[in-house]
Amino acid sequence: MNALRVVAAIPEAALVLALPPLLLGAIVKTKAWFGGRDGPPWLQPYYDLHKLMRKGVVYSQTTTWIFRAGPIVNLAAMLTAATLIPVLSSDAPLGFAGDLILVAYLFALARMLTVLAAMDTGSSFEGMGASREVTFGAMSEPALFLSFTVLAIATGSLQLSQMIGSQLYTAWATAGPAMLLVVGALMIVLLTETCRVPVDDPATHLELTMIHEVMVLDHSGPDFAYITYAAALKFTLLGSILLHAAIPHPGWPLWVDVPLRFLELAALAVLVGVIESTMARLRLNRVPLLLASASVLAALAAVLTLTRSLN
């Protein structure tokens, strides 16, 4: 990385860290527009985070250090993953061969600590949400790993910046059908991992349908701000992987790359808002079928890509 790229990476990183709450605001605004309402201000997620950071934290006497560590480790894992995933340009700040495995397990680490913190409360209600979170997370991981495998074979690299960078633009010309299947699988993974409709509904308050929200009911103040921001950052990171795989850029300069990626992320947030406004949440026993279809799509893409590489 040359000196000019290092200098440009600083404001780019600041923009990446500032962007996630705005995407949540775009989703809420889109849902409000479909409902015929004005909705909250675009910057409402920032106001909510600021309000939470100014509040105090309440800890139950039945919880241990795991409950306190959950939000911090969750946020730290997402921030670390953000250094390895290209978001607004084709190059991540850091990267090495095999970093895709580290990214996948950083997501798993964040989930594990969130689940442990929920179970540490001793509440059977939060334990129910933790059970659902682990089950659906285990079902989405095969689709994510198979998608990474297809991208690695298509680009001949095990580094995320190269797998979803300009090399993928060339691979699309010869492996387009497989890439379309991967994009479909990654879209389902995005909706599952970020707890969006049709898998989960972040706005629900029905006890029998809650998954992610039920696990964080006992968190308050800055701890809840960390969880909320980490969830928004996870949506941004997984959305970036999806967009880089779906619309690879052929090595454009930063002044072209960054605005385009920003608009694409905004369009993705609007698309998720449209999905949540036009679809109902699936019954819990239907969610495994959706996740199985994601794995099937990714597996078919792997077969197509391997067949092409053998020929």
Side-chain angles (χ1 to χ4, degrees), residues 31-268:
K31 294 169 69 175
W33 184 81
F34 266 81
R37 298 177 284 108
D38 288 337
W42 288 90
L43 300 182
Q44 187 61 47
Y46 296 96
Y47 302 148
D48 292 341
L49 289 174
H50 178 65
K51 181 177 68 178
L52 288 171
M53 290 300 295
R54 296 178 59 189
K55 287 187 174 182
V57 183
V58 177
Y59 293 116
S60 167
Q61 293 181 350
T62 62
T63 58
T64 66
W65 63 270
I66 294 178
F67 185 78
R68 294 166 172 76
I72 298 172
V73 174
N74 183 14
L75 179 59
M78 290 301 110
L79 291 174
T80 306
T83 65
L84 300 169
I85 299 175
V87 178
L88 294 176
S89 67
S90 298
D91 293 321
L94 300 176
F96 53 88
D99 57 4
L100 74 162
I101 298 175
L102 176 59
V103 167
Y105 281 101
L106 282 171
F107 289 147
L109 175 66
R111 176 187 292 114
M112 184 183 74
L113 263 294
T114 304
V115 167
L116 289 177
M119 296 179 67
D120 193 50
T121 62
S123 165
S124 57
F125 187 34
E126 296 196 25
M128 176 192 69
S131 172
R132 292 172 178 173
E133 174 81 8
V134 170
T135 301
F136 296 152
M139 291 181 179
S140 70
E141 281 184 1
L144 182 63
F145 274 108
L146 281 171
S147 298
F148 280 159
T149 302
V150 174
L151 295 173
I153 296 172
T155 58
S157 174
L158 288 174
Q159 185 174 333
L160 266 176
S161 292
Q162 297 175 4
M163 289 167 54
I164 56 178
S166 57
Q167 293 185 25
L168 189 60
Y169 181 82
T170 307
W172 256 91
T174 54
M179 292 299 111
L180 285 175
L181 296 173
V182 166
V183 170
L186 288 177
M187 186 66 194
I188 296 174
V189 170
L190 169 70
L191 296 175
T192 304
E193 292 286 333
T194 56
C195 305
R196 313 300 311 193
V197 174
V199 177
D200 192 8
D201 186 356
T204 185
H205 291 91
L206 297 175
E207 294 181 357
L208 295 179
T209 61
M210 295 170 74
I211 300 177
H212 175 76
E213 293 302 315
V214 71
M215 293 193 303
V216 298
L217 282 177
D218 281 358
H219 290 286
S220 58
D223 284 354
F224 190 59
Y226 298 157
I227 292 172
T228 304
Y229 179 77
L233 183 57
K234 187 176 185 180
F235 177 84
T236 305
L237 297 178
L238 284 173
S240 296
I241 293 175
L242 169 65
L243 289 172
H244 279 77
I247 315 172
H249 292 183
W252 287 326
L254 284 178
W255 63 272
V256 177
D257 233 6
V258 172
L260 277 180
R261 288 299 180 198
F262 179 84
L263 292 175
E264 289 167 6
L265 278 169
L268 178 65

